[in-house]
Amino acid sequence: MLNGFIKVCAATPKIKVADCEYNASQILEQIEKAAAAGAKLAVFPELCITGYTCGDLFFQDTLLNAAAASLNAIRRSASSADIVIVVGLPLRHMGKTFNCAAVLHRGRILGFVPKKNVPNYNEFYEIRHFTPAPEENSLALFDSEYIPFGSRLIFRCSDLPEFSLACEICEDLWVSSSPSAEHTKNGAAIIANISASDETIGKEDYRRLLVKSQSAKLICGYVYADAGEGESSGDMVFSGHNMIAENGNLLSESPLFSTGLTVSEIDLHRLGIDRRRMNTFKTEISDGYTEIPFSLDLCETALTRKIETHPFVPASSSDRDRRSETILSIQSLGLKKRLEHTGVDKAVIAVSGGLDSTLALIVACNAMDMLSRPRTDVIAVTMPCFGTTRRTRSNAEALALALGVSFREIDITAAVEQHFSDIAQDRDNTDVTYENSQARERTQVVMDIANSCNGLVIGTGDLSELALGWATYNGDHMSMYGVNASVPKTLIRHIIKYTADKTDNRALCGVLLDILDTPVSPELLPALNGDISQKTEMIVGPYELHDFFLYYVMRWGCTPGKLLRLAEYAFKGSYSREVILSWLKVFYRRFFSQQFKRSCLPDGPKVGSVTLSPRSDWRMPSDASAELWLKELEAL
């Protein structure tokens, strides 16, 4: 439960219809397994104490009495387990019978939540046996004790207030106005759905879509527990289709026609951050709601959920291809609009033979294709100097030739040496002035070329570089339109690979693959024996780590301690804790100290949920201190 994680499970026991004692024993067995797995919430199916398919046996007091006795047996036997239990049973109240979720913790019944939407169509005839939930909450007398009863109950952990639970039952999810919408507006972060959804062709996909979309639009965790083996097969078969979702993402799912536990961890801090960020997520305190407190022992939650090492990059190849195509379309359409609006004749790009300028050149070609203009209206300019290697220089030319753009080579060595003479810079002093003079000279050249041909300078810098400030201020930091500004380095590699894979141009494919195989470098220091001497990731750290840090800081507001824990978990076997911690400190120092470069970025299209544009998603003072974040890391 530390760092906001809470382990939850959806449980489908094997039952016998109308055998409450047997069913209680199966439920208790699953509770024991859930507690052993570290779960703090266990959700069971609808009416699982009796079985959903009892039919007119629900009119029999013998069955209802047995259900109540079995609920008491469950709460007594599970009283030592520090776990919230949600289990379904029929309950008599106010002279009627209700289809209820009973919420238990440490031998106490916290509340009864009756089903609000009781179906009576097709194979469902629940209205014959059950009364829909009344509008107002009340108290139900159960075993000589008055228990909160109603569809507007929220159960909140006093030790971890972010853990706030509400319930809905099966059909409540399928209707246009689900109770969970009101529950989340009134503060519920996790919705437990106890369900008995029979299996028919195509229903699995629709049910999954409902759970994912409900968790997405309500920014909540959603635990769906479905009835399974043992229910009557007279007219229906139940598959035990259990799901755990968080804000649109399916964290865990059971195979169809199975029993047992489906387990994962819901990140309550992550949900809270997204709710606070989205001002259109409305919260309110309704008079009709009752909040019921309970207490849990706080402990560290062992993680089993998938934490992607490359959160910007989809795991499946088909999803990567779709994302690559979408990003290329966004970039290209953005540039197309800018070229149309400005009425320029040319697009000018400084091409180094590296990843970023390669992607920018591909985007510029796409934009010209969309405008039905010749690709020769794109001018690719390579500007070799002290650190340029034969490999990158030849790749820059080969790329321009394969794409059919105009190509210019301008050696800036003499110009930079003259500049060194003007400012009294020692040619052998390879300091930051030595490096930045080259970057600024290159920018001056393409800016002036653009002026001379009525052109627009296309920026090549990517999101990862902007986060770290790995750009020369008023050098490669500056352009007239930055097409890569919200594309991280880890994703750029896949976009270029996608382009190489889909092209029929063998020359283009070959040069793209070689560019992918070239170490990332600004090539501002002299080459060693013709090879790149300045490798970016040896200086600022691995981009896969920095992109991971950037995603979880920007998208989910992770604290340094939580971020370190996630990185250790995700990169286990690849990087040690010490290595991750050292680069995390570099990330925070550079992210804060380099904000001044981001505060005056040129325009560029947003392509994902994380961007650093000062005009849209990220507004940060350039002189903010990183001390709070660094102190937290020092204390770890």
Side-chain angles (χ1 to χ4, degrees):
M1 295 168 70
L2 301 179
N3 303 127
F5 287 109
I6 181 168
K7 193 178 292 290
V8 302
C9 70
T12 299
K14 182 179 179 180
I15 68 159
K16 294 180 180 179
V17 177
D19 191 339
C20 298
E21 186 174 336
Y22 174 83
N23 297 341
S25 69
Q26 297 301 300
I27 291 167
L28 285 167
E29 183 178 309
Q30 297 298 319
I31 291 171
E32 185 176 344
K33 291 179 179 178
K40 295 296 184 180
L41 171 65
V43 182
F44 288 85
E46 181 179 10
L47 296 169
C48 63
I49 288 179
T50 57
Y52 176 78
T53 49
C54 289
D56 283 355
L57 293 178
F58 286 122
F59 292 131
Q60 298 291 313
D61 279 343
T62 299
L63 180 67
L64 300 183
N65 291 339
S70 291
L71 180 63
N72 270 327
I74 292 169
R75 71 158 163 171
R76 284 194 301 268
S77 297
S79 61
S80 61
D82 191 36
I83 183 171
V84 177
I85 302 158
V86 184
V87 63
L89 81 162
L91 182 75
R92 289 166 296 191
H93 175 57
M94 299 171 58
K96 298 292 184 182
T97 305
F98 295 89
N99 179 346
C100 285
V103 181
L104 318 176
H105 179 247
R106 285 195 175 277
R108 176 184 165 209
I109 302 177
L110 300 179
F112 291 113
V113 180
K115 189 171 186 175
K116 188 170 184 179
N117 296 279
V118 179
N120 206 56
Y121 60 87
N122 296 343
E123 67 265 44
F124 305 108
Y125 50 91
E126 288 182 38
I127 203 72
R128 177 180 175 92
H129 308 116
F130 299 111
T131 299
E135 287 300 316
E136 302 297 328
N137 291 340
S138 61
L139 294 174
L141 182 62
F142 183 86
D143 194 28
S144 304
E145 183 181 358
Y146 284 99
I147 308 294
F149 174 96
S151 62
R152 297 182 178 183
L153 302 181
I154 292 180
F155 308 90
R156 187 179 298 276
C157 178
S158 55
D159 309 283
L160 183 68
E162 295 95 332
F163 179 22
S164 49
L165 171 72
C167 303
E168 61 185 9
I169 302 177
C170 199
E171 186 77 9
D172 288 339
L173 171 64
W174 299 67
V175 299
S176 60
S177 182
S178 298
S180 52
E182 288 300 312
H183 297 339
T184 52
K185 283 200 297 184
N186 281 272
I190 296 179
I191 301 297
N193 186 312
I194 66 170
S195 181
S197 178
D198 62 319
E199 207 57 50
T200 56
I201 294 298
K203 196 171 184 181
E204 168 197 359
D205 293 334
Y206 190 68
R207 188 189 298 119
R208 184 184 300 110
L209 178 63
L210 280 177
V211 169
K212 289 174 64 176
S213 62
Q214 194 77 346
S215 74
K217 69 180 183 179
L218 301 182
I219 314 178
C220 70
Y222 203 97
V223 184
Y224 184 93
D226 190 21
E229 188 176 350
E231 290 285 358
S232 172
S233 59
D235 289 297
M236 296 180 285
V237 172
F238 297 84
S239 67
H241 187 197
N242 295 340
M243 290 170 279
I244 300 171
E246 174 191 282
N247 201 5
N249 298 305
L250 195 62
L251 301 179
S252 187
E253 180 180 17
S254 68
L256 293 187
F257 309 107
S258 63
T259 57
L261 299 182
T262 301
V263 183
S264 191
E265 302 82 42
I266 291 173
D267 189 343
L268 296 168
H269 287 175
R270 183 170 174 165
L271 294 172
I273 286 166
D274 229 23
R275 286 182 174 187
R276 294 195 299 272
R277 176 187 288 118
M278 293 181 62
N279 70 308
T280 51
F281 181 85
K282 302 299 184 184
T283 58
E284 59 186 40
I285 304 299
S286 300
D287 292 339
Y289 270 82
T290 303
E291 188 164 290
I292 300 166
F294 63 93
S295 181
L296 289 172
D297 296 333
L298 295 184
C299 58
E300 184 168 311
T301 301
L303 297 179
T304 61
R305 61 186 276 172
K306 179 69 174 175
I307 304 291
E308 298 289 350
T309 53
H310 301 136
F312 291 109
V313 182
S316 75
S317 58
S318 59
D319 287 344
R320 283 197 300 273
D321 288 350
R322 280 194 296 271
R323 182 166 299 185
S324 296
E325 185 62 39
T326 300
I327 290 173
L328 281 168
S329 297
I330 293 172
Q331 292 176 287
S332 302
L333 283 166
L335 180 57
K336 171 181 176 286
K337 169 64 178 179
R338 187 53 54 100
L339 293 172
E340 283 180 314
H341 176 73
T342 54
V344 296
D345 296 324
K346 306 291 182 182
V348 183
I349 302 177
V351 179
S352 66
L355 293 170
D356 294 346
S357 61
T358 296
L359 178 57
L361 193 61
I362 292 169
V363 168
C365 289
N366 288 349
M368 290 300 179
D369 293 346
M370 291 175 177
L371 291 166
S372 299
R373 289 173 55 175
R375 288 188 174 186
T376 50
D377 283 351
V378 178
I379 302 175
V381 186
T382 188
M383 293 164 279
C385 198
F386 310 128
T388 305
T389 60
R390 179 176 298 179
R391 181 181 189 181
T392 54
R393 188 252 167 253
S394 62
N395 276 343
E397 183 174 8
L399 179 66
L401 182 65
L403 288 171
V405 303
S406 301
F407 178 73
R408 296 191 195 181
E409 179 179 345
I410 301 173
D411 193 316
I412 64 169
T413 304
V416 174
E417 288 179 334
Q418 177 61 52
H419 182 59
F420 285 169
S421 176
D422 293 340
I423 65 172
Q425 169 73 16
D426 185 349
R427 170 70 166 75
D428 296 325
N429 180 11
T430 56
D431 61 3
V432 67
T433 304
Y434 178 96
E435 296 185 42
N436 286 349
S437 294
Q438 299 169 70
R440 292 193 177 103
E441 179 62 25
R442 288 181 173 124
T443 300
Q444 175 177 264
V445 169
V446 291
M447 289 284 184
D448 290 344
I449 288 175
N451 287 161
S452 69
C453 65
N454 187 33
L456 194 76
V457 175
I458 310 305
T460 63
D462 65 53
L463 179 66
S464 308
E465 293 178 341
L466 292 174
L468 297 170
W470 191 247
T472 298
Y473 191 87
N474 207 32
D476 52 311
H477 152 264
M478 191 47 60
S479 68
M480 297 172 183
Y481 193 72
V483 293
N484 295 338
S486 64
V487 189
K489 187 79 75 179
T490 48
L491 189 52
I492 285 178
R493 299 190 67 87
H494 290 280
I495 298 173
I496 293 175
K497 180 64 166 59
Y498 165 75
T499 304
D501 289 342
K502 76 167 188 174
T503 184
D504 295 327
N505 185 330
R506 294 183 63 183
L508 177 60
C509 178
V511 70
L512 290 178
L513 292 178
D514 195 64
I515 288 169
L516 283 168
D517 196 45
T518 304
V520 177
S521 172
E523 291 194 322
L524 297 174
L525 295 179
L528 294 176
N529 301 319
D531 293 327
I532 291 171
S533 64
Q534 188 183 24
K535 297 179 180 179
T536 298
E537 292 184 287
M538 294 179 66
I539 301 168
V540 295
Y543 274 118
E544 64 177 354
L545 281 180
H546 285 305
D547 280 359
F548 185 90
F549 300 155
L550 176 64
Y551 177 82
Y552 280 98
V553 167
M554 293 290 299
R555 182 67 183 89
W556 300 114
C558 272
T559 63
K562 182 174 182 177
L563 182 51
L564 176 61
R565 182 187 178 194
L566 291 177
E568 281 189 87
Y569 177 75
F571 289 98
K572 186 177 181 180
S574 299
Y575 299 100
S576 67
R577 174 186 173 89
E578 292 71 27
V579 168
I580 294 171
L581 181 58
S582 67
W583 290 125
L584 184 53
K585 290 177 181 178
V586 169
F587 173 83
Y588 278 115
R589 289 191 187 102
R590 294 195 66 96
F591 186 80
F592 276 81
S593 67
Q594 301 296 298
Q595 172 62 26
F596 73 98
K597 296 178 182 177
R598 300 188 291 266
S599 293
C600 54
L601 285 178
D603 290 350
K606 176 179 177 177
V607 303
S609 60
V610 176
T611 178
L612 290 167
S613 168
R615 292 167 297 278
S616 58
D617 290 65
W618 189 245
R619 297 167 180 84
M620 171 182 170
S622 296
D623 48 7
S625 171
E627 286 307 304
L628 278 175
W629 289 261
L630 293 173
K631 282 181 179 178
E632 183 173 330
L633 287 177
E634 292 296 338
L636 296 175

